[in-house]
Amino acid sequence: MNKIDVLLGLQWGDEGKGKVVDTLAGRYNVIARFQGGPNAGHTLEFDGIHHVLHLIPSGIFHTNAINIIGNGVVIDPIILVDEIRQLEEMNVNINEQMAISRKAHLILPTHRILDAAKEKAKGANKIGSTLKGIGPTYMDKTGRNGLRIGDIMHPDFKKSYQDLVEKHKSLLKAYDFEYDLTEAEAEWFKSIERIKQLKIINSEYVINDSRKAGKKVLAEGAQGTLLDIDFGSYPFVTSSNTVTAGVCTGLGVPPNSIGEVFGIFKAYCTRVGSGPFPTELNDETGEALRKKGNEFGATTGRPRRCGWLDLVSLKYSIMLNGVTQLILTKADVLSGFDTIKVCTAYKVNGELSKEVPFSLDDEVEPVYTEVKGWHQEIDGITDIERIPTELHDYIDFLEKELELPINVISLGPDRKQTIVRNPELVNH
Ligand code: GDP
Ligand code: IMO
Ligand code: MG
């Protein structure tokens, strides 16, 4: 029985998961999202096309693969149908190439409204949510109130919807928040009709049967480990388990079925939304990273906060996920710096520490090691032998510190701008 490989983010999201999943997808028969929802924005670039996916897995442009939205994902029908429309305009055969779990939960228009009302009420303490209704939908899931894809076929679906909306309306009375549901509700039900025509499946069976039949499955993470509901910088996190363990519950595969775990990280750090960020650069260096790395949110367009690479939190993420190989992205963005800083320890209340503390607040001060930078532009390079010595040294340094091989190096947003260093390990 084949194992299932996992690719997930080791930082605060936006590590380049979409680009790399798209690049590796040709090696897989099934690509599956296991958590999160349209808070994700996964960017793909190839043949001059620039495309952002929110709910649909990043293997969708490969005709050999089936793309599954797993039970752990929360789905906004309006966003899903809009994504489908865009892909159909690009001649993607969605009805054939995509399937949705019956057990995936639905984001209602009132979940989005609740998200916005709650964030407004938090004022300066807001999470910086993408306002896609993620938190309220997962709350209804764990509160055992939610509606699922499988429910849309039920003759009483409209009534179940109305009952839940009434619950939401009474919750909304606690907030000073105006809203109008009429337009969104009409579009929501129209989108539900389109979803009824899609392949709606018992994905836990399909995925395990695929493994049994010798097919290769890749689970695609959304967000990143530092946004995990349990292990992220709580409460500035998302509402799902973004770590490898989430693959088991989000797809219905047993823990001993996990194969390779590809941990993806940027050569520096970014964060969008509120919350602690020890290596954040509120200066011209941070601004330079934002500009060169084009660090603006793929879902909300918000500028991303930028800072140096943080090995303390990376090691934490590697530990939590059981990462077996690393993928380094956006090293091209570091061209032009005389020196590059890397955080190798924290000073917590004056004491040196290599652990992520309970609270990543202002008492955490990063301790940096400096490595030599390089000045040449490297984004056209596809041969590892042609990268600057300083980047070689930087990669060697990271591999030693993190005790794992960096087998894929991404030097640009395009599919082609990828160096697979060790194809036999990636293909295994
Ligand atoms: P995801 O959420 O992890 O899929 O990442 P996003 O798509 O939100 O953000 C990553 C951004 O960096 C996108 O604009 C990508 O096109 C871009 N990108 C991905 N890999 C690289 C890379 O190696 N170099 C550069 N310069 N851009 C990259
Ligand atoms: P991808 O998959 C980066 C952040 C939000 C906010 C927090 C909670 O593209 O890497 P939520 O909408 O989940 O209630 O927001 O999490 N966030 C992300 N940041 N990339 C993402 O996804 C994110 N999804 C959510 O900015 O701080
Ligand atoms: Mg993103």
Side-chain angles (χ1 to χ4, degrees):
M1 190 126 150
N2 266 0
K3 299 236 176 200
I4 165 166
D5 293 348
V6 181
L7 187 148
L8 46 71
L10 301 179
Q11 296 160 320
W12 280 289
D14 304 328
E15 296 90 349
K17 298 176 290 294
K19 178 220 150 142
V20 177
V21 169
D22 169 61
T23 305
L24 300 182
R27 303 162 201 248
Y28 289 90
N29 307 103
V30 179
I31 321 286
R33 276 276 304 270
F34 59 94
Q35 47 67 235
N39 47 351
H42 295 180
T43 315
L44 281 55
E45 285 195 27
F46 57 91
D47 302 341
I49 292 169
H50 172 105
H51 195 82
V52 182
L53 294 162
H54 299 287
L55 276 162
I56 297 176
S58 302
I60 198 67
F61 289 103
H62 294 261
T63 45
N64 61 312
I66 173 110
N67 288 262
I68 297 179
I69 301 180
N71 59 278
V73 177
V74 290
I75 297 176
D76 184 328
I78 299 177
I79 295 178
L80 179 60
V81 169
D82 191 52
E83 269 195 86
I84 291 173
R85 184 189 49 75
Q86 288 179 40
L87 289 167
E88 283 180 337
E89 277 171 13
M90 297 163 86
N91 296 321
V92 174
N93 188 347
I94 286 288
N95 291 355
E96 280 305 311
Q97 276 175 246
M98 191 188 78
I100 315 179
S101 165
R102 282 202 166 80
K103 294 192 170 74
H105 278 249
L106 288 165
I107 302 176
L108 272 58
T110 38
H111 283 131
R112 293 185 67 152
I113 293 167
L114 276 165
D115 213 359
K118 283 173 182 215
E119 279 283 83
K120 190 175 165 225
K122 281 196 161 100
N125 296 323
K126 70 173 196 256
I127 308 290
S129 160
T130 59
L131 302 180
K132 302 291 175 195
I134 306 295
T137 307
Y138 278 115
M139 276 173 72
D140 270 339
K141 175 177 177 176
T142 50
R144 295 160 293 181
N145 291 315
L147 292 178
R148 299 182 291 174
I149 287 286
D151 295 325
I152 66 178
M153 303 298 187
H154 200 278
D156 287 341
F157 177 63
K158 268 220 157 121
K159 167 142 195 337
S160 310
Y161 169 89
Q162 273 312 334
D163 289 348
L164 187 51
V165 167
E166 288 311 314
K167 280 195 188 117
H168 292 162
K169 281 183 177 166
S170 63
L171 289 174
L172 281 162
K173 282 191 189 132
Y175 298 92
D176 172 27
F177 197 82
E178 281 193 22
Y179 60 93
D180 179 9
L181 261 179
T182 342
E183 225 172 272
E185 230 169 30
E187 206 185 337
W188 197 85
F189 277 105
K190 210 171 118 200
S191 304
I192 291 285
E193 290 310 307
R194 172 68 183 96
I195 290 175
K196 283 181 183 166
Q197 298 157 8
L198 299 171
K199 265 191 204 150
I200 298 178
I201 59 168
N202 295 331
S203 59
E204 61 276 36
Y205 281 108
V206 172
I207 289 172
N208 284 300
D209 286 348
S210 300
R211 294 177 43 228
K212 222 183 237 170
K215 299 221 166 118
K216 294 192 69 182
V217 184
L218 177 67
E220 172 181 357
Q223 291 78 58
T225 304
L226 305 178
L227 288 169
D228 180 89
I229 181 74
D230 281 279
F231 300 106
S233 41
Y234 193 88
F236 301 101
V237 293
T238 190
S239 298
S240 65
N241 279 119
T242 59
V243 292
T244 304
V247 175
C248 297
T249 54
L251 294 178
V253 293
N256 64 359
S257 70
I258 304 294
E260 291 296 318
V261 179
F262 299 102
I264 183 166
F265 69 107
K266 277 185 208 188
Y268 49 98
C269 262
T270 63
R271 172 161 208 174
V272 60
S274 330
F277 182 172
T279 60
E280 182 169 15
L281 292 163
N282 287 308
D283 57 9
E284 65 279 5
T285 309
E287 191 52 50
L289 286 171
R290 185 174 309 115
K291 209 166 158 205
K292 185 125 201 265
N294 192 23
E295 294 296 354
F296 296 90
T299 296
T300 58
R302 292 179 291 179
R304 294 176 183 147
R305 300 155 64 194
C306 297
W308 293 121
L309 189 63
D310 177 349
L311 295 188
V312 181
S313 64
L314 254 186
K315 286 178 186 173
Y316 184 60
S317 298
I318 288 169
M319 172 184 82
L320 294 169
N321 290 304
V323 172
T324 59
Q325 36 184 318
L326 292 165
I327 298 176
L328 172 68
T329 63
K330 301 195 98 159
D332 54 300
V333 176
L334 290 183
S335 291
F337 288 98
D338 289 332
T339 50
I340 295 164
K341 287 190 186 179
V342 182
C343 165
T344 48
Y346 292 155
K347 236 186 205 166
V348 185
N349 298 319
E351 299 261 323
L352 265 192
S353 170
K354 297 237 170 182
E355 288 193 4
V356 175
F358 174 69
S359 161
L360 265 186
D361 56 18
D362 297 341
E363 302 305 314
V364 176
E365 197 193 312
V367 178
Y368 288 112
T369 295
E370 289 195 2
V371 297
K372 204 162 180 282
W374 59 92
H375 283 270
Q376 60 269 54
E377 293 301 331
I378 56 175
D379 56 353
I381 299 180
T382 49
D383 176 1
I384 190 76
E385 302 307 328
R386 289 190 44 234
I387 65 170
T389 328
E390 294 84 357
L391 176 54
H392 258 298
D393 293 346
Y394 183 54
I395 292 170
D396 284 349
F397 167 75
L398 293 177
E399 287 187 324
K400 270 199 200 87
E401 281 283 327
L402 302 170
E403 299 178 76
L404 281 171
I406 297 177
N407 282 339
V408 180
I409 299 158
S410 168
L411 295 177
D414 194 274
R415 219 185 243 174
K416 289 205 189 100
Q417 293 168 306
T418 317
I419 302 175
V420 178
R421 230 175 154 195
N422 221 331
E424 61 285 6
L425 257 180
V426 174
N427 287 331
H428 57 91

